[in-house]
Amino acid sequence: MTGMLPKLLATSALLALAACGAESSKSFDSELGSGVDGGTFGNATMNNTLIQTGQIEYTVALAERFNAEVPDTINFAFDSAQLDAEAMAVLRKQANFIRQFPEVRFRVYGHTDLVGSAGYNQRLGLRRAQAAVAYLTSQGISKSRLEAVVSYGKTRPIVQTDQPEERNRRTVTEVSGFVDSHPLVLNGKYAAIIWREYVASAVVPSEGAPADGG
């Protein structure tokens, strides 16, 4: 037993030295313990909360349904953020889907092809995303439900080519989460949110009800 004490003391000293070494790699006047948290300290708790309340599960489920039922991508002409007729038709389909789920938020990402400088394409991608958001809001979607648009510029091409490529010139709309202030969300009724429209679609319309289209 007496032989263990020196070993324990030596081990403690080594651990203390290692901790000092880690701290000494930072600037002399940095806050004590600043190396412990790299900005992700609360992520485990946050993710656990999201899973326990069903937010992650049902956000993924709704995103899969959105991708299955609605085109999520529109394309643009070279060096343009102008929406053509095909793009507007796709955005109307997106708006019809988004309108069914007032509790859900969406995000629009802008992209460009690889022609031109990174800075110019960053701005062009943002203009494209803003054009898509503006059209969605013109279809009655609240801008508060369309999260801040993001531009990836030319950093995420679908096709790796230095030539003009329409498939790279695009915006992509994605499900991003839930509106925190909505009462259904506050009650944690995520399953009801996702499957509500499936239940409604099973109801047989009454005679004389107006038909879609024409």
Side-chain angles (χ1 to χ4, degrees):
M1 184 69 178
T2 55
M4 289 293 294
L5 185 58
K7 292 180 181 179
L8 289 171
L9 291 173
T11 302
S12 300
L14 286 172
L15 290 172
L17 286 172
C20 289
E23 284 294 328
S24 64
S25 65
K26 293 190 157 296
S27 93
F28 176 76
D29 58 350
S30 63
E31 184 179 352
L32 184 63
S34 60
V36 174
D37 182 13
T40 59
F41 185 77
N43 281 4
T45 301
M46 178 188 68
N47 288 334
N48 184 57
T49 300
L50 293 176
I51 290 171
Q52 292 298 324
T53 58
Q55 294 185 58
I56 287 180
E57 178 182 354
Y58 293 113
T59 299
V60 171
L62 184 59
E64 291 175 349
R65 180 178 169 187
F66 178 71
N67 292 335
E69 296 185 10
V70 183
D72 62 357
T73 301
I74 61 173
N75 297 102
F76 294 82
F78 181 72
D79 195 24
S80 172
Q82 187 73 32
L83 300 173
D84 61 17
E86 183 177 353
M88 287 188 283
V90 169
L91 289 172
R92 284 194 294 273
K93 291 179 181 178
Q94 292 183 7
N96 288 337
F97 185 97
I98 293 171
R99 203 176 292 114
Q100 298 175 43
F101 298 95
E103 313 88 352
V104 181
R105 302 186 73 176
F106 292 77
R107 183 178 290 141
V108 180
Y109 299 89
H111 301 263
T112 71
D113 60 26
L114 299 179
V115 180
S117 69
Y120 183 85
N121 281 310
Q122 182 78 13
R123 294 188 294 274
L124 178 58
L126 182 59
R127 293 205 311 272
R128 287 172 175 168
Q130 289 170 337
V133 167
Y135 193 83
L136 289 171
T137 57
S138 77
Q139 300 299 301
I141 306 302
S142 171
K143 196 170 183 179
S144 65
R145 296 180 52 216
L146 299 168
E147 292 192 302
V149 291
V150 178
S151 173
Y152 285 121
K154 63 178 187 176
T155 62
R156 299 192 178 185
I158 294 175
V159 181
Q160 288 286 347
T161 175
D162 292 332
Q163 301 303 311
E165 173 54 57
E166 184 181 25
R167 284 171 290 180
N168 291 336
R169 302 191 299 265
R170 68 199 191 278
T171 66
V172 180
T173 305
E174 295 182 2
V175 175
S176 61
F178 289 88
V179 179
D180 292 338
S181 61
H182 196 281
L184 277 181
V185 175
L186 290 174
N187 290 335
K189 297 179 180 178
Y190 297 100
I193 294 170
I194 303 306
W195 303 114
R196 180 185 59 222
E197 293 304 316
Y198 280 146
V199 174
S201 67
V203 177
V204 178
S206 60
E207 296 236 1
D212 292 336

